[in-house]
Amino acid sequence: MGFLDKVGEGMKEAGNKFKEGVSDLDDKLGDKVDIAKLESQIRDQERDLKNLKSEIGEKVIESMDKDGSFDVSNIKCLLDKAKDIKSKIAELNAEIEKIKK
């Protein structure tokens, strides 16, 4: 094997390693983008939950001011929504953990 053959083989090997490195970098960047999207969705869900909690509190106060008592059935739908939001947040966090592994 001549000198030029060795140089050519070395260049080919270096090119393959470069391609592998670029591919790994692309995968890592893709994961970061996916995680950022999921985190954004979590923030949206947390904001919705905060607003929902505020709405629940307002309904409780209105009821207490009006009747002096409170019936949970008046906010059952809102409580179900809060439960769904918490479940969605847990799912999104689980997706993030899968990506990180």
Side-chain angles (χ1 to χ4, degrees):
M1 181 182 284
F3 175 75
L4 291 178
D5 290 335
K6 288 181 182 181
V7 170
E9 193 173 302
M11 294 293 285
K12 186 175 181 181
E13 187 177 320
N16 288 337
K17 286 186 179 186
F18 178 76
K19 286 179 186 176
E20 288 174 14
V22 169
S23 178
D24 288 346
L25 181 60
D26 187 45
D27 289 344
K28 288 178 184 179
L29 287 174
D31 288 350
K32 296 270 188 202
V33 169
D34 291 342
I35 289 171
K37 288 178 184 177
L38 291 167
E39 288 173 341
S40 176
Q41 291 176 19
I42 289 171
R43 283 189 300 276
D44 291 344
Q45 292 292 319
E46 288 173 338
R47 184 182 57 249
D48 291 347
L49 183 59
K50 183 178 179 182
N51 292 337
L52 195 57
K53 287 177 180 181
S54 182
E55 187 176 347
I56 290 169
E58 288 174 13
K59 289 201 177 281
V60 169
I61 291 169
E62 284 175 13
S63 179
M64 293 298 293
D65 287 346
K66 183 178 178 184
D67 302 329
S69 65
F70 174 71
D71 183 3
V72 174
S73 64
N74 293 336
I75 60 166
K76 175 81 170 96
C77 180
L78 297 174
L79 294 172
D80 290 342
K81 285 182 186 178
K83 184 178 178 181
D84 291 343
I85 290 171
K86 288 179 180 181
S87 177
K88 181 65 177 175
I89 290 170
E91 289 173 17
L92 293 168
N93 278 318
E95 286 183 49
I96 289 173
E97 290 305 313
K98 283 183 191 176
I99 292 170
K100 286 182 176 179
K101 289 183 180 181

